[in-house]
Amino acid sequence: METSLKEIQLLVFHLGDKIDAPYASTIIFDSSPQNGRSHLEIKGDEFHYICEERGLIIYDNKTNNIDELLYWIFQNISFEMALDYEFKNRKKGQDSRKILFSKQLEILQKISEKWKLKRQEEINGILKFNPFKWIFRKKRGT
């Protein structure tokens, strides 16, 4: 059974309500807005979640699994929300990713424990090669 863009959009709106996602973040485009925002193309039973900017394809994730597609969509939405939260709650001298990642996991958990754990594994991979750092800035004139 094929799933339509309209059906996916309704699912995204429903899940977005669970996390109080900004409405604009939950709109699914069917073609690239050419600004780095992802869009969705459905080809047969395959979903293509594509990010394109100025004609350059950043990624073209393909799946026939609706849960995986929704995870990709909400990984992006939750990241945007967490980024906004981190900016408003930034701690001087602390790696901004500490708050960012923590908030993103908190947001994803409201939808799915499985999605939270999947993102935690991805974050662990990032931190393995790029661990948290304390940022110390010199005072002017020293």
Side-chain angles (χ1 to χ4, degrees):
M1 180 177 103
E2 289 186 24
T3 305
S4 71
L5 184 66
K6 183 177 180 179
E7 291 169 314
I8 293 167
Q9 181 64 80
L10 290 173
L11 279 170
V12 170
F13 283 152
H14 173 71
L15 293 173
D17 286 346
K18 287 185 167 189
I19 59 171
D20 295 321
Y23 177 78
S25 296
T26 60
I27 296 172
I28 304 298
F29 295 98
D30 61 356
S31 62
S32 178
Q34 293 296 319
N35 64 1
R37 179 114 187 250
S38 301
H39 72 281
L40 176 63
E41 295 178 16
I42 301 173
K43 300 175 182 177
D45 66 346
E46 193 170 63
F47 304 111
H48 290 252
Y49 192 58
I50 304 166
C51 179
E52 185 177 354
E53 185 172 8
R54 298 179 190 158
L56 178 68
I57 294 178
I58 311 299
Y59 59 79
D60 181 357
N61 294 335
K62 301 171 187 123
T63 186
N64 58 7
N65 182 307
I66 188 79
D67 189 67
E68 186 169 22
L69 171 67
L70 291 170
Y71 171 76
W72 293 335
I73 292 169
F74 279 93
Q75 195 279 344
N76 284 345
I77 292 170
S78 64
F79 185 82
E80 289 175 21
M81 292 172 66
L83 195 58
D84 184 55
Y85 177 85
E86 184 283 323
F87 181 73
K88 293 174 182 170
N89 295 278
R90 187 164 289 168
K91 293 184 181 174
K92 188 176 181 178
Q94 180 177 301
D95 188 324
S96 60
R97 297 173 305 158
K98 194 164 192 141
I99 294 172
L100 173 75
F101 289 156
S102 176
K103 187 64 175 178
Q104 185 181 27
L105 293 172
E106 178 186 316
I107 293 166
L108 285 172
Q109 186 172 23
K110 290 178 183 179
I111 300 174
S112 166
E113 181 70 20
K114 183 174 121 184
W115 291 0
K116 176 198 168 208
L117 294 173
K118 182 174 182 164
R119 182 62 183 149
Q120 181 67 69
E121 286 181 25
E122 294 168 352
I123 290 168
N124 289 346
I126 292 167
L127 294 175
K128 182 177 180 181
F129 295 101
N130 298 289
F132 289 131
K133 294 180 179 150
W134 285 95
I135 304 160
F136 297 102
R137 293 185 177 95
K138 289 186 174 183
K139 292 182 181 179
R140 291 181 190 231
T142 59

